[in-house]
Amino acid sequence: MYDRLKGFRDFYPGEMSARREVVDTVETAAARYGFREIGTPHLERTQMYVDKSGEEIVEELYAFEDKGGREVTLTPELTPTVARMVVAKQQALSKPIKWVSTRPFWRYEQVQQGRFREFYQTNADIFGSTEPEADAEILAFCADALTDLGLTADDFEFRVSHRDILGGLLRSFDADVDVADAVRAVDKSEKVEREEYLGLLSDAGLSYDQAGEFADLIERGDLDEIAEFGGDDVAAAVENLRNVLAAADDFGAGEFCEVSLSTARGLDYYTGVVFECFDSTGDVSRATFGGGRYDDLIESFGGQPTPAVGVGIGNATLQLLCQRAGVWPDEELATDYYLLTVGDTRGVASDIARDLRAAGNVVEVDVSDRSFGAQMSYADSVNADTVVIVGERDLENGEVTVKDMASGDQTTVPVDDFPGERDAPTYEDYE
């Protein structure tokens, strides 16, 4: 026996059917907003991530040298890849560019609740608009996806912040502050004790008193106070945040949004509005997903200046939220019809199966030459709604037997009338 690698998962058919239903729901919501599906490679040059995040990122990658001597890695995230794709065809692409995809990623990191070394995300991005409506549309798509899954405003909340507010406030202090380090400290603030948090801010260049003043300011979250304290740049960021929230309200997502300036998103490339989705009850401690604006990334990849905003929805954490709220789909198989054959009846059974499948039904036929009882047990195991018994004796009378598996009721039906003109005939149609 070979053991499965740590941080990687197997998905059996029942689990996979539930996952597929959720992904389809999220992608359908994205399609309604005009996001177009793309496909991306699972292998990229390692240097692309080093240039974006520094040499230390290699420790988190599944990186190696390929047979051509190239340093490559399994992709740990999508944003650099889509940035590369935009740069490659920037002149030919109509703006705004709205892309969506669902696929796996890989990071070599500590396995914990909702975090695996191979993980699946749906990513949606808008390139080419600086307007608040673009940020708001990402929030609205996310809200629609979650409510389409059966979640309500009692189940989740979007914590919305602005990186330029945080950066502007930090620069307003009379101190030599490493803004990136300080923002990363803010991102950790809810995971550590206050003293440790203030220590991290101090390490980034604030005095202890300044760190406390800054922490209190963003904790209160009074946007008027913050705009006045931080000066013109912060005031402009506050106005942008308010405009995004107003647009989100118009788009139907406002009820899910709350200002939370301690939401910072740790990645350095974020430039404006950022947000994370959390379980409202707190039972799921990790963010379900997050995103934000990254206006400088395309230019850093050699393209023309192109504003961008996007979100990455993690399948694992979304599953935790849906399970907590009781809306995760049943992890079971679904079969519309099982064609049970007795004797030399394959030809007739195959004709019926083709007609039913042509109408869009899920149909199974025995392929193992099993007994009547074994076939019936199998039909039950795949949750067949209806069993159609195609037996030699019935066919001598020009009939088949239609059995409702839920009630156990059955009746004989003329073989020429099944399925007949019906797309999905059941026992009730013939009783």
Side-chain angles (χ1 to χ4, degrees):
M1 290 290 294
Y2 296 100
D3 294 331
R4 186 184 64 221
L5 291 173
K6 183 178 180 180
F8 292 72
R9 293 172 292 168
D10 300 316
F11 301 107
Y12 289 87
E15 299 168 280
M16 201 64 208
S17 67
R19 287 167 53 81
R20 170 52 54 196
E21 183 176 335
V22 168
V23 169
D24 286 349
T25 299
V26 173
E27 290 182 336
T28 298
R32 292 200 301 267
Y33 282 81
F35 288 92
R36 316 297 178 176
E37 185 176 16
I38 59 170
T40 57
H42 292 182
L43 208 63
E44 293 276 14
R45 295 182 184 274
T46 303
Q47 193 62 40
M48 187 164 72
Y49 302 95
V50 171
D51 288 346
K52 184 178 75 69
S53 303
E55 288 287 348
E56 63 274 10
I57 190 65
V58 176
E59 296 299 317
E60 300 177 18
L61 303 180
Y62 280 88
F64 57 95
E65 182 180 298
D66 72 3
K67 293 182 179 180
R70 293 170 289 262
E71 294 297 328
V72 298
T73 183
L74 291 172
T75 49
E77 58 171 311
L78 189 68
T79 306
T81 294
V82 292
R84 174 183 59 73
M85 290 173 66
V86 169
V87 171
K89 293 192 174 183
Q90 194 160 21
Q91 298 303 317
L93 294 168
S94 298
K95 312 298 189 300
I97 304 161
K98 298 169 71 173
W99 286 346
V100 65
S101 69
T102 302
R103 47 153 295 182
F105 298 92
W106 298 266
R107 279 183 181 269
Y108 193 85
E109 57 186 359
Q110 185 63 40
V111 178
Q112 53 186 279
Q113 183 194 47
R115 176 179 289 178
F116 299 90
R117 289 175 176 170
E118 180 181 61
F119 55 97
Y120 295 76
Q121 284 188 348
T122 297
N123 292 272
D125 297 272
I126 300 175
F127 302 92
S129 174
T130 61
E131 296 302 312
E133 288 81 0
D135 306 63
E137 187 167 273
I138 291 288
L139 290 166
F141 145 63
C142 291
D144 281 2
L146 295 184
T147 55
D148 288 350
L149 289 168
L151 296 160
T152 71
D154 293 331
D155 294 316
F156 67 92
E157 60 190 20
F158 296 154
R159 300 179 187 175
V160 187
S161 183
H162 202 295
R163 287 288 286 263
D164 291 344
I165 293 176
L166 297 175
L169 285 176
L170 289 163
R171 283 186 285 268
S172 69
F173 286 94
D174 183 18
D176 183 15
V177 183
D178 186 319
V179 172
D181 283 350
V183 169
R184 280 192 285 269
V186 174
D187 189 49
K188 298 176 182 177
S189 62
E190 295 188 1
K191 305 180 182 72
V192 299
E193 296 296 329
R194 179 178 172 86
E195 287 303 310
E196 182 178 352
Y197 172 38
L198 296 182
L200 292 172
L201 290 173
S202 298
D203 291 342
L206 294 175
S207 71
Y208 188 83
D209 288 342
Q210 289 172 333
E213 186 177 6
F214 171 78
D216 291 340
L217 194 62
I218 65 172
E219 184 178 348
R220 286 194 298 272
D222 184 327
L223 294 181
D224 289 331
E225 178 189 16
I226 285 168
E228 183 177 353
F229 184 95
D232 291 344
D233 289 345
V234 173
V238 166
E239 182 180 8
N240 177 248
L241 174 59
R242 283 175 163 154
N243 288 339
V244 169
L245 293 172
D249 195 43
D250 288 341
F251 293 171
E255 65 176 308
F256 308 109
C257 298
E258 66 172 36
V259 174
S260 172
L261 296 181
S262 61
T263 298
R265 304 290 290 160
L267 296 173
D268 291 344
Y269 57 68
Y270 286 114
T271 58
V273 165
V274 291
F275 73 93
E276 292 180 334
C277 174
F278 276 89
D279 174 11
S280 296
T281 69
D283 289 347
V284 180
S285 59
R286 292 177 55 79
T288 302
F289 54 80
R293 182 163 283 281
Y294 52 101
D295 288 343
D296 300 333
L297 190 63
I298 300 300
E299 187 175 6
S300 74
F301 273 64
Q304 297 177 355
T306 304
V309 60
V311 63
I313 302 176
N315 181 275
T317 47
L318 180 58
Q319 179 175 347
L320 292 175
L321 174 60
C322 289
Q323 287 175 331
R324 197 279 303 157
V327 298
W328 184 253
D330 291 335
E331 294 186 354
E332 60 182 23
L333 305 182
T335 308
D336 298 315
Y337 297 92
Y338 182 81
L339 273 293
L340 189 154
T341 58
V342 181
D344 186 15
T345 60
R346 184 181 65 192
V348 175
S350 297
D351 288 343
I352 295 172
R354 283 199 300 274
D355 289 343
L356 291 170
R357 287 171 180 149
N361 298 293
V362 177
V363 184
E364 287 206 49
V365 182
D366 180 47
V367 294
S368 300
D369 193 27
R370 289 172 292 195
S371 68
F372 182 99
Q375 289 186 64
M376 192 62 76
S377 294
Y378 179 79
D380 187 55
S381 74
V382 296
N383 295 316
D385 293 328
T386 300
V387 169
V388 183
I389 302 170
V390 186
E392 289 177 323
R393 290 187 180 180
D394 280 347
L395 289 182
E396 289 176 0
N397 298 321
E399 297 175 330
V400 294
T401 298
V402 177
K403 181 181 181 68
D404 180 80
M405 291 296 282
S407 66
D409 296 332
Q410 64 183 50
T411 187
T412 55
V413 177
V415 67
D416 293 336
D417 195 29
F418 195 91
E421 299 300 318
R422 302 174 181 86
D423 287 338
T426 64
Y427 165 82
E428 285 76 13
D429 292 316
Y430 302 98
E431 62 176 339

